[in-house]
Amino acid sequence: YHKSGDTLAVGSQNGSLYLYKSTREGLVYTRFSKMKGEQPLSAIDWSESGKFLQTVTSDYDLTFWSLRTLSSVSDDADVQDELWVTQTCPLGYYVHGIWAGRKDSPIQVTV
């Protein structure tokens, strides 16, 4: 959920992010957008500003999404200084350095 509680982001096994508006105190959800990805999603975080989402796929690819353009962010530097409400994604700027950078590195599940 966005910190205001009125928008829900749902990650799916088909790699897409679905955005829903919540009304009537959470009793009614209406899908208003879909952002297409390619790999199953395992974690999602909202930015403090509510302008971005970050996701990690089951293959440990980190993707940033713009809610203004409803697409992935092409330049990660655009979100480098963004503050995140949570950090459930095991990859990202906040956790930079915990990965050894090799394919045989231990897998970090959460931070």
Side-chain angles (χ1 to χ4, degrees):
Y1 279 97
H2 181 267
K3 66 181 182 179
S4 66
D6 66 348
T7 306
L8 174 67
V10 177
S12 72
Q13 289 294 307
N14 69 9
S16 295
L17 273 169
Y18 297 92
L19 298 174
Y20 293 86
K21 282 290 182 193
S22 172
T23 56
R24 296 187 48 200
E25 297 181 6
L27 295 175
V28 177
Y29 290 86
T30 305
R31 189 173 95 185
F32 70 91
S33 185
K34 173 184 173 183
M35 295 183 282
K36 180 128 176 67
E38 303 205 4
Q39 300 171 358
L41 300 176
S42 60
I44 303 172
D45 292 306
W46 285 91
S47 68
E48 273 289 328
S49 67
K51 296 178 184 177
F52 300 101
L53 291 169
Q54 67 177 353
T55 61
V56 172
T57 67
S58 59
D59 287 340
Y60 289 93
D61 288 328
L62 175 65
T63 304
F64 297 101
W65 302 87
S66 168
L67 295 175
R68 185 180 57 80
T69 63
L70 298 175
S71 62
S72 61
V73 174
S74 58
D75 186 0
D76 292 351
D78 292 343
V79 296
Q80 182 174 353
D81 295 325
E82 193 72 28
L83 298 175
W84 299 95
V85 176
T86 58
Q87 185 66 47
T88 60
C89 291
L91 303 174
Y93 290 105
Y94 284 173
V95 294
H96 181 76
I98 65 170
W99 288 84
R102 299 182 319 266
K103 288 190 178 204
D104 62 344
S105 297
I107 294 174
Q108 309 300 324
V109 177
T110 191
V111 176

